Amino acid sequence: MKRDVREFWNERVRGLAPYTPGEQPRDQRFIKLNTNENPYPPSPLVVEAVKQAADDRLRLYPDPECWELREAAAERFGVQPEQVFVGNGSDEILAFAFGAFFADKILFPDVTYSFYPVYARLWDVPFERPLLNDDFSINPGDYTKDAPHTGVVFPNPNAPTGRSMDVPTVLSIVKARKDSVVIVDEAYAAFSKENLSVARFVTANPNLLTIHTLSKFASLAGLRVGFAIGDENLIEGLRRMRDSFNSYTVDRLAQAGAAAVMKDRAYYEYVIRKVVDTRERVSTVLSSRGFEVIPSDANFLFVRCPSRKGEDFFAYLRERGILTRRFNENRIADFLRVSIGTDSDMDIFLEACRE
Ligand SMILES: *Cc1c(COP(=O)(O)O)cnc(C)c1O
């Protein structure tokens, strides 16, 4: 009989509760509305920059400090390069940040990005999950109560609901928690109606760390680049974590491509507008047909079908070649998260929802 080598797993690996990523089918027959990728290609400048970087220099390690990219991002966000950290996707930065800045307790909503409890367990940080209101909005009062040394993390807009909080409300949480780090995960902020990002307030609020990704708005989920923006010494904390694992988390091609994103604002404004217009159109049609649609500021909709259980709605769409994401948790089991695709993808989705 074959030996069960799980006996080599130590206590640590036995105790892990890993995240389950959305399905990435190996063939192309699906309309992929399940992982919030951008349906449009990255800027041609980005593709060109990656090609230009693919030469003999690949024998050399990349710049561990990612200076060119940090300078470009700093300029874009109106901060100093020392206030920018670059990581292999924002998930990596979140993992470092949970390990670096939280100890006693963390708060995050009951319905939110499902990687947060994974990181909290990984680093053994106790967490509490205040319930969202019935309309899936965050109750800011849950995060401003006096509770010393309690960190906070939430996405704005929230995932998978798509609902956002306005800037003054986010800042009220940051200011109420001066003795701990507040992480605002801005993965979807580029798709919001107003400028929701609080990155420009990091200098005035040294406990604020904002997290950004190129996976969604910049159509670069395959390149794996994210940023954090915050006080120089928060950035130094992240660097200490990183250099205790792997100093070269962002490769040469990724650094070159990501820097080019910052140079093509016009293209990305155009792509973001298209996604937002499609979102609004699909949302209106679904609502008019009796679907419950949570108002979204992101590149996805959180949708409940009036006549089917979430499980059945998900399976029905899958049979028709449409992949969506469902989270099998109490309050949201009947909802599907549907990423915004091209107009023709969404027409096929809407047609399937008609039946
Ligand atoms: C997609 C997503 C991320 C991860 O982005 P990567 O940069 O691809 O790792 C982080 N936070 C939220 C809320 C997301 O939805």
Side-chain angles (χ1 to χ4, degrees):
M1 220 174 56
K2 193 174 166 295
R3 184 166 184 187
D4 183 356
V5 293
R6 281 179 297 188
E7 73 184 67
F8 297 137
W9 290 6
N10 63 20
E11 282 305 311
R12 188 181 311 116
V13 76
R14 280 174 213 273
L16 292 175
Y19 175 78
T20 314
E23 181 178 353
Q24 294 292 349
R26 289 174 60 170
D27 54 38
Q28 291 295 307
R29 54 196 176 92
F30 286 102
I31 293 180
K32 259 191 106 273
L33 307 180
N34 68 332
T35 49
N36 296 344
E37 289 140 331
N38 199 310
Y40 300 108
S43 155
L45 296 187
V46 170
V47 177
E48 193 48 41
V50 172
K51 285 185 183 157
Q52 290 293 329
D55 63 16
D56 294 359
R57 289 169 297 172
L58 285 176
R59 70 192 177 78
L60 302 171
Y61 282 108
D63 170 13
E65 299 309 332
C66 305
W67 273 113
E68 186 198 349
L69 177 51
R70 286 167 76 185
E71 281 164 1
E75 197 183 317
R76 169 85 172 255
F77 287 96
V79 296
Q80 297 303 310
E82 291 76 13
Q83 294 171 298
V84 180
F85 181 86
V86 184
N88 189 281
S90 54
D91 287 339
E92 180 184 71
I93 305 176
L94 286 164
F96 291 158
F98 273 61
F101 306 130
F102 300 132
D104 295 356
K105 205 205 293 176
I106 322 179
L107 302 177
F108 47 84
D110 67 325
V111 176
T112 195
Y113 188 36
S114 35
F115 234 133
Y116 301 156
V118 174
Y119 295 136
R121 290 193 181 100
L122 173 67
W123 299 114
D124 230 345
V125 185
F127 54 92
E128 266 177 41
R129 313 191 69 171
L131 300 185
L132 296 181
N133 297 321
D134 289 340
D135 65 358
F136 292 134
S137 57
I138 288 178
N139 175 12
D142 291 336
Y143 300 88
T144 54
K145 279 188 248 178
D146 185 38
H149 308 295
T150 299
V152 168
V153 55
F154 55 85
N156 195 38
N158 195 8
T161 66
R163 266 201 188 275
S164 59
M165 257 189 291
D166 61 19
V167 167
T169 310
V170 172
L171 291 178
S172 73
I173 295 173
V174 174
K175 289 180 195 302
R177 302 232 72 83
K178 283 195 172 32
D179 65 352
S180 37
V181 170
V182 174
I183 297 181
V184 183
D185 182 348
E186 301 192 334
Y188 302 104
F191 300 100
S192 65
K193 284 171 215 87
E194 296 155 42
N195 178 9
L196 274 192
S197 177
V198 291
R200 59 193 188 279
F201 299 108
V202 297
T203 306
N205 296 278
N207 63 324
L208 169 62
L209 188 74
T210 61
I211 309 275
H212 310 261
T213 177
L214 298 185
S215 298
K216 315 289 167 54
F217 88 85
S219 308
L220 289 172
L223 202 67
R224 310 303 304 132
V225 180
F227 302 97
I229 300 183
D231 184 89
E232 266 181 56
N233 280 318
L234 291 183
I235 300 310
E236 177 61 13
L238 294 171
R239 196 192 61 76
R240 290 173 67 96
M241 291 295 293
R242 182 197 68 197
D243 287 350
S244 305
F245 282 92
N246 171 8
S247 291
Y248 305 105
T249 59
V250 186
D251 65 59
R252 283 178 168 271
L253 306 186
Q255 290 190 34
V261 169
M262 308 298 153
K263 295 177 190 136
D264 203 354
R265 285 185 90 144
Y267 175 84
Y268 282 111
E269 275 165 24
Y270 168 75
V271 163
I272 290 166
R273 172 111 313 267
K274 274 175 70 138
V275 170
V276 169
D277 288 347
T278 307
R279 176 188 77 205
E280 294 305 302
R281 177 174 74 86
V282 173
S283 166
T284 306
V285 174
L286 288 174
S287 304
S288 74
R289 294 198 201 142
F291 284 77
E292 183 177 356
V293 185
I294 306 304
S296 172
D297 252 347
N299 67 339
F300 55 82
L301 292 170
F302 203 45
V303 177
R304 190 178 61 80
C305 175
S307 57
R308 283 173 193 257
K309 303 292 290 169
E311 231 177 325
D312 301 336
F313 185 27
F314 175 87
Y316 165 89
L317 290 170
R318 199 175 194 287
E319 274 160 32
R320 277 156 193 76
I322 302 168
L323 277 186
T324 60
R325 190 98 199 254
R326 175 171 171 270
F327 299 92
N328 199 10
E329 294 158 31
N330 284 343
R331 293 174 81 190
I332 56 170
D334 282 333
F335 283 81
L336 300 187
R337 191 194 67 191
V338 181
S339 309
I340 300 301
T342 61
D343 277 305
S344 63
D345 290 343
M346 300 319 283
D347 287 340
I348 296 169
F349 166 75
L350 286 173
E351 194 51 42
C353 290
R354 186 193 292 282
E355 289 157 28

